[in-house]
């Protein structure tokens, strides 16, 4: 019904169309137009071109007992759907840290320091015990370092930046969770 009304009456630059788009996004749906034909689809089809991977990683984190990481990952995806780029980046960073800390605790006898950032020490501990293949340690260190720029601290984020970080984290963590927990 919604697409019929849009196709019959909407021009795209009307205020009510922007409000509808925002409302649909809040509910996890995207609104798009192609050659004057409107469509409504679940977020993921266009906004995050990784929709199957998002679901797979979310399930894997939960199934493998990475509850902290799964919680932060769900928050990152929710923030992305709300178009809250800084919150998405912050929760993506927390997902990455939580995952590597949880893996290092199990696979490398890592003891997190309460009240402190444990991402770098966990990544280094995983490297010390040989969990990374050649080049992977440098990739993870670089990605971890980059995750601390912009976002909720310091500065602002853009949609493209949030999409990049969320997509990169999804791909990397899916890769590592399947290799390290199989």
């Amino acid at each position: 019904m919604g697409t019929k009304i849009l196709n019959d009456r909407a021009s795209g630059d009307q205020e009510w169309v922007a409000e509808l788009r925002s409302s649909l996004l809040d509910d996890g749906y995207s609104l798009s137009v192609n050659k004057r034909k409107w469509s409504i689809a679940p977020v993921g089809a266009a906004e995050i071109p990784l929709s199957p991977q998002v679901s797979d990683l979310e399930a894997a984190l939960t199934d493998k007992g990475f509850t902290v990481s799964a919680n932060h990952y769900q928050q990152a995806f929710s923030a992305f759907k709300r178009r809250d780029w800084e919150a998405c980046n912050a929760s993506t960073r927390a997902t990455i840290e939580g995952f590597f800390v949880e893996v290092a605790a199990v696979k490398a006898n890592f003891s997190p320091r309460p009240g402190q950032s444990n991402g770098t020490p966990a990544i280094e501990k995983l490297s010390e015990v040989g969990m990374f293949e050649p080049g992977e340690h440098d990739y993870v260190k670089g990605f971890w370092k980059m995750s601390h720029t912009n976002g909720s601290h310091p500065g602002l984020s853009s949609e493209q930046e949030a999409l990049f970080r969320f997509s990169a984290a999804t791909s990397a963590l899916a890769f590592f969770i399947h290799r390290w927990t199989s």
Side-chain angles (χ1 to χ4, degrees):
M1 175 68 98
T3 54
K4 176 157 179 32
I5 293 169
L6 286 162
N7 288 327
D8 289 346
R9 301 180 186 192
S11 67
D13 58 353
Q14 297 163 311
E15 187 175 330
W16 69 269
V17 173
E19 291 172 9
L20 177 61
R21 178 178 276 122
S22 179
S23 178
L24 286 168
L25 195 57
D26 288 344
D27 292 332
Y29 292 91
S30 66
L31 175 63
S32 59
V33 64
N34 185 11
K35 298 181 183 175
R36 292 195 248 200
K37 182 173 174 155
W38 291 88
S39 64
I40 299 172
V43 168
E47 288 79 1
I48 298 183
L50 296 171
S51 54
Q53 291 88 345
V54 169
S55 297
D56 291 348
L57 179 57
E58 195 171 323
L61 289 168
T62 301
D63 292 348
K64 304 288 185 180
F66 294 99
T67 54
V68 172
S69 302
N71 181 51
H72 288 298
Y73 189 70
Q74 290 165 352
Q75 290 176 20
F77 188 54
S78 179
F80 190 90
K81 291 188 295 186
R82 291 192 315 271
R83 304 176 67 80
D84 188 351
W85 314 130
E86 291 80 12
C88 178
N89 283 348
S91 292
T92 298
R93 179 175 46 251
T95 301
I96 297 164
E97 179 172 21
F99 176 76
F100 287 116
V101 167
E102 289 178 286
V103 170
V106 172
K107 300 279 188 182
N109 295 322
F110 176 72
S111 297
R113 299 168 301 183
Q116 297 183 30
S117 175
N118 287 290
T120 299
I123 291 165
E124 293 307 314
K125 188 69 170 175
L126 290 169
S127 181
E128 287 172 20
V129 299
M131 295 296 292
F132 296 112
E133 297 292 326
E136 292 173 352
H137 179 243
D138 290 334
Y139 171 82
V140 170
K141 279 191 337 185
F143 186 63
W144 176 241
K145 184 176 180 181
M146 186 201 74
S147 76
H148 286 75
T149 60
N150 299 334
S152 60
H153 70 279
L156 301 175
S157 299
S158 68
E159 178 178 6
Q160 294 76 25
E161 183 177 39
L163 176 60
F164 168 73
R165 291 178 188 210
F166 186 78
S167 300
T170 298
S171 297
L173 297 187
F175 173 76
F176 288 120
I177 198 169
H178 290 296
R179 188 170 79 201
W180 290 341
T181 63
S182 296

